[in-house]
């Protein structure tokens, strides 16, 4: 058993035993002693807490706020509108503010849809496996869902909300990217975007899940880190068949095809795309049996090989938006 001598570093006077776990004043010289490298004084903490509460109250008065799951969120910016939802960037109001993505709707189907998506995402977050810790961080994370409480400006209790942890750094959806790159996206970017999608699809397919609704509106892009976040999980389910998984893969190929075509009405992959890569995209977007046989991992290997032939060794090409 190791013995610890508790003495004041300033005057060497003995200190009481509780100096092991908390700050104490030396009985000899009066110095404040703590074992930790950093310390927050009680008065400073209380002042910071008061300021945080005042800032939260001020934020709540600046715009509409929504209460869900026992927390109130200030709606900061409308990010977009889906089939039934309005999607906002929001901030949790309180001493510990947190950025969130908040989907809200008064449509009758919203309550069921949000509850279903929240259940799916929570089940996905609890999937087992050695690589689960990595991939579950690349799936949306639920903060709350349910009926919206009284709003200080609207007072509408018929709405429902789904609150997700805010995905920092994500620019927007692939549908928005398609509109931005109206002439078609550079094929080099299409490669890494597709590979990120196939990575996540391979993980959930190995767990016998499928997404069920892969399309440009249901994938967010992170231009700086070359990341892709699949969203829109309300149609996902466990016990997926081989056909369900193949349909996910085929729809991911169609999403990439849309990005390469841009906003033109041409239905074929542009001639500017290297031949081998264009053929792979066209094949995967039309042949569900090919997608079933290859699987997400097999298609990723074919994509990697086609990209190496077309562009050489992998290199980071900035996506400037």
């Amino acid at each position: 058993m190791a013995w610890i001598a508790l003495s004041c570093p300033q005057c060497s006077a003995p200190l009481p035993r509780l100096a092991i776990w908390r700050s104490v004043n030396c009985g000899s010289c009066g110095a404040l002693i703590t074992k930790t490298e950093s310390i927050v004084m009680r008065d400073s903490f209380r002042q910071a807490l008061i300021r945080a509460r005042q800032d939260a109250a001020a934020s709540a008065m600046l715009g509409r706020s929504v209460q869900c799951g026992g927390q109130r969120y200030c709606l900061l910016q409308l990010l977009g509108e889906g089939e039934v939802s309005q999607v906002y960037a929001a901030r949790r109001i309180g001493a510990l503010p947190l950025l969130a993505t908040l989907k809200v709707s008064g449509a009758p189907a919203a309550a069921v849809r949000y509850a279903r998506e929240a259940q799916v995402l929570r089940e996905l977050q609890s999937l087992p496996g050695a690589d689960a810790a990595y991939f579950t961080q690349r799936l949306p994370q639920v903060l709350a869902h349910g009926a919206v409480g009284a709003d200080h400006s609207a007072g509408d209790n018929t709405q429902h909300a789904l609150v997700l942890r805010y995905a920092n750094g994500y620019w927007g959806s692939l549908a928005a990217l398609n509109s931005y790159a109206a002439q078609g996206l550079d094929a080099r970017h299409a490669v890494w975007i597709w590979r990120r999608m196939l990575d996540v699809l391979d993980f959930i397919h190995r767990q016998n899940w499928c997404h069920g609704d892969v399309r440009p509106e249901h994938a967010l892009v992170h231009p700086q880190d070359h990341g892709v976040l699949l969203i829109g999980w309300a149609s996902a389910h466990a016990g997926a068949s081989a056909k369900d998984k193949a349909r996910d893969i085929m729809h991911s190929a169609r999403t990439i095809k849309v990005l390469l075509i841009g906003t033109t009405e041409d239905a074929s992959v542009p001639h500017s795309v290297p031949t081998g890569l264009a053929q792979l995209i066209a094949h995967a977007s039309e042949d569900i049996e090919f997608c079933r046989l290859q699987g997400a991992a097999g298609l990723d290997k074919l994509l990697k090989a086609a990209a190496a032939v077309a562009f050489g060794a992998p290199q980071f090409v900035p996506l400037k938006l």
Side-chain angles (χ1 to χ4, degrees):
M1 178 178 176
W3 294 90
I4 299 175
L6 300 176
S7 59
C8 174
Q10 179 163 291
C11 69
S12 298
L15 297 175
R17 179 177 174 79
L18 53 81
I20 295 175
W21 63 83
R22 58 160 290 180
S23 299
V24 297
N25 288 102
C26 175
S28 178
C29 67
L32 178 65
I33 311 299
T34 179
K35 283 188 65 178
T36 62
E37 295 181 0
S38 60
I39 183 172
V40 177
M41 302 300 295
R42 181 181 299 174
D43 288 344
S44 299
F45 175 82
R46 286 177 174 171
Q47 292 170 11
L49 180 61
I50 291 172
R51 289 196 300 271
R53 288 173 174 169
Q54 290 173 341
D55 291 343
S59 297
M61 297 304 295
L62 290 177
R64 181 183 172 195
S65 64
V66 165
Q67 184 174 336
C68 181
Q71 300 285 342
R72 185 170 289 278
Y73 299 86
C74 178
L75 305 185
L76 303 175
Q77 180 183 359
L78 178 65
L79 298 177
E81 297 190 40
E83 296 172 355
V84 298
S85 307
Q86 290 182 314
V87 184
Y88 291 89
R91 182 173 63 244
R92 186 174 64 191
I93 298 172
L96 298 174
L98 178 71
L99 285 177
T101 300
L102 190 146
K103 298 164 69 172
V104 63
S105 175
V112 175
R113 188 176 184 87
Y114 293 164
R116 169 63 183 161
E117 187 168 355
Q119 177 188 358
V120 165
L121 290 173
R122 284 171 175 147
E123 290 185 24
L124 288 172
Q125 289 292 338
S126 64
L127 288 176
D131 53 358
Y134 172 83
F135 283 106
T136 54
Q137 295 303 307
R138 280 141 187 84
L139 298 172
Q141 300 176 39
V142 178
L143 296 177
H145 80 281
V148 170
D151 185 294
H152 77 266
S153 62
D156 186 356
N157 293 316
T158 65
Q159 293 185 318
H160 285 76
L162 173 64
V163 188
L164 305 172
R165 187 177 295 275
Y166 188 78
N168 289 312
Y170 283 87
W171 175 83
S173 71
L174 295 183
L177 179 60
N178 188 53
S179 299
Y180 184 86
Q183 302 304 312
L185 191 67
D186 186 325
R188 295 173 297 176
H189 294 309
V191 170
W192 65 257
I193 289 173
W194 197 9
R195 294 199 67 196
R196 299 300 179 273
M197 296 175 71
L198 290 172
D199 262 354
V200 175
L201 290 178
D202 177 55
F203 169 70
I204 66 168
H205 289 173
R206 285 188 281 110
Q207 303 281 354
N208 287 320
W209 278 78
C210 70
H211 183 281
D213 196 12
V214 177
R215 49 192 167 105
E217 293 81 2
H218 285 166
L220 304 181
V221 62
H222 194 307
Q224 184 176 356
D225 292 349
H226 280 192
V228 173
L229 178 69
L230 285 179
I231 59 175
W233 291 87
S235 300
H237 61 85
S241 66
K243 189 174 182 179
D244 291 331
K245 299 173 186 178
R247 191 177 292 111
D248 274 352
I249 297 169
M250 185 171 68
H251 287 175
S252 74
R254 290 179 178 177
T255 296
I256 299 303
K257 187 176 178 180
V258 166
L259 292 177
L260 292 170
I261 293 172
T263 58
T264 66
E265 296 183 0
D266 193 347
S268 60
V269 178
H271 296 299
S272 58
V273 179
T275 303
L277 181 59
Q279 290 175 344
L280 180 62
I281 294 169
H283 196 181
S285 65
E286 298 167 4
D287 190 342
I288 193 169
E289 182 62 16
F290 170 73
C291 294
R292 186 188 69 80
L293 291 173
Q294 295 298 329
L299 187 56
D300 182 64
K301 290 179 181 178
L302 294 177
L303 174 58
K304 186 177 179 180
V309 172
F311 306 117
Q315 57 179 320
F316 187 88
V317 181
L319 176 58
K320 299 179 180 179
L321 299 174

